[in-house]
Amino acid sequence: MEINRTVSADQWQFLQNYTPARIARGRAGHSLPTAELLKFQSDHAQARDAVYSEIQISSLQEAFMSNFKIEVLSLQSEVKSRSQYLQRPDLGRTISQISRETLSKKDASEADICFVIADGLSAKAINEHSFPFLQLLLPKLQADNWKIAPICIVEQGRVAIADEIGFLLKASIVVILIGERPGLTSADSMGAYITYQPQVGLTDESRNCVSNIRPEGLNYVLASEKIFYLLNEIKGKKISGVQLKDEMANYKIL
């Protein structure tokens, strides 16, 4: 029996001009064309690699300290291994006893804001995007005389780990930059979660989220403007999460 190996075009192919999502990739018989199948396998491998990537603590510490003149602390969650991180989300939400003692011993005075940098599900995203993003945001805050607590870099951390860190450092607002769950078109997406009056036990409705921070998504300029706006709203209104309505004018991704 003769097998038809002709690659058929898809009438929805024009949509590829508007999205990187896998749509209208053509067919070869009952499957994808070989080139598209290989691309899918490559993107899947990159997403898996991102989950197991490691945060470059020393490089980030050097970049932050030399450029921002802010103290940088290295902390850990209660997670002991990457496999445990994936199986026990609860441990990734809590700092280790050693890290807790480190923060408790800090002679921290009240600060307006604390930045936490965590690997999350893609340390690759943090390694690539956290510094260039903060290069735009931190000068805006410093120019407005925000009092900034030490920057905390956390290994094996999840979003809620920032609440205890911000509380121990006496920060009114905590921002955690974290690697988001990799997708087949974005293995390096960084998210930012913002919480007013952080404390242990808060849940997601207490936070504001700005996601997909990367050059191909919400670029650094637009992300820094959006978060700067939210931070000023939170500081002025003393609320965050679902209570805070985003009234910033519509913006367009460049």
Side-chain angles (χ1 to χ4, degrees):
M1 182 175 64
E2 184 178 349
I3 299 176
N4 182 8
R5 299 185 183 278
T6 304
V7 176
S8 304
D10 194 301
Q11 63 178 330
W12 301 107
Q13 194 169 5
F14 72 94
L15 292 174
Q16 294 176 17
N17 296 322
Y18 306 101
T19 175
R22 279 183 165 75
I23 186 170
R25 297 298 175 173
R27 301 195 69 80
H30 296 290
S31 182
L32 289 169
T34 300
E36 287 297 331
L37 181 59
L38 293 174
K39 179 69 164 54
F40 174 87
Q41 292 172 339
S42 173
D43 289 345
H44 185 261
Q46 290 184 54
R48 289 175 62 89
D49 286 347
V51 170
Y52 288 95
S53 57
E54 296 182 359
I55 191 168
Q56 298 171 356
I57 296 176
S58 58
S59 298
L60 291 174
Q61 280 183 315
E62 182 178 353
F64 293 156
M65 293 180 68
S66 61
N67 286 272
F68 306 138
K69 311 302 180 186
I70 298 174
E71 183 180 4
V72 180
L73 303 176
S74 178
L75 308 173
Q76 295 81 34
S77 72
E78 289 189 337
V79 172
K80 306 301 182 186
S81 67
R82 196 59 177 171
S83 60
Q84 187 183 52
Y85 177 86
L86 297 174
Q87 296 173 38
R88 292 287 305 274
D90 56 315
L91 297 180
R93 301 185 186 111
T94 308
I95 57 175
S96 67
Q97 184 59 37
I98 294 176
S99 294
R100 189 174 295 110
E101 291 172 0
T102 298
L103 293 175
S104 298
K105 291 176 182 176
K106 292 292 298 180
D107 186 17
S109 56
E110 292 185 3
D112 295 315
I113 191 167
C114 172
F115 284 93
V116 177
I117 316 294
D119 43 13
L121 287 167
S122 176
K124 172 182 171 67
I126 293 301
N127 295 335
E128 294 182 1
H129 306 316
S130 61
F131 174 67
F133 166 73
L134 287 176
Q135 267 190 312
L136 295 177
L137 179 59
L138 281 179
K140 295 176 185 286
L141 297 173
Q142 291 171 329
D144 275 2
N145 297 315
W146 283 61
K147 187 172 182 181
I148 303 172
I151 296 174
C152 297
I153 302 176
V154 184
E155 292 182 89
Q156 311 283 18
R158 293 186 180 266
V159 172
I161 202 167
D163 295 335
E164 185 174 10
I165 294 172
F167 177 79
L168 291 174
L169 289 178
K170 302 178 183 177
S172 296
I173 302 171
V174 67
V175 179
I176 181 168
L177 303 179
I178 192 166
E180 297 182 306
R181 185 185 305 276
L184 291 175
T185 58
S186 57
D188 62 337
S189 179
M190 182 177 76
Y193 293 81
I194 312 168
T195 309
Y196 178 69
Q197 295 291 25
Q199 56 183 300
V200 175
L202 294 180
T203 48
D204 287 341
E205 82 279 357
S206 301
R207 321 182 209 285
N208 295 88
C209 174
V210 178
S211 65
N212 198 28
I213 301 172
R214 58 192 182 102
E216 300 81 8
L218 186 65
N219 65 51
Y220 304 143
V221 173
L222 291 175
S224 63
E225 290 175 352
K226 168 61 72 174
I227 291 176
F228 184 64
Y229 160 79
L230 288 173
L231 289 175
N232 278 288
E233 288 288 288
I234 291 169
K235 185 179 182 182
K237 296 179 179 179
K238 302 186 185 306
I239 54 175
S240 65
V242 296
Q243 299 181 71
L244 182 68
K245 304 304 178 185
D246 183 354
E247 299 176 346
M248 184 177 181
N250 291 332
Y251 55 91
K252 180 179 179 181
I253 296 178
L254 302 177

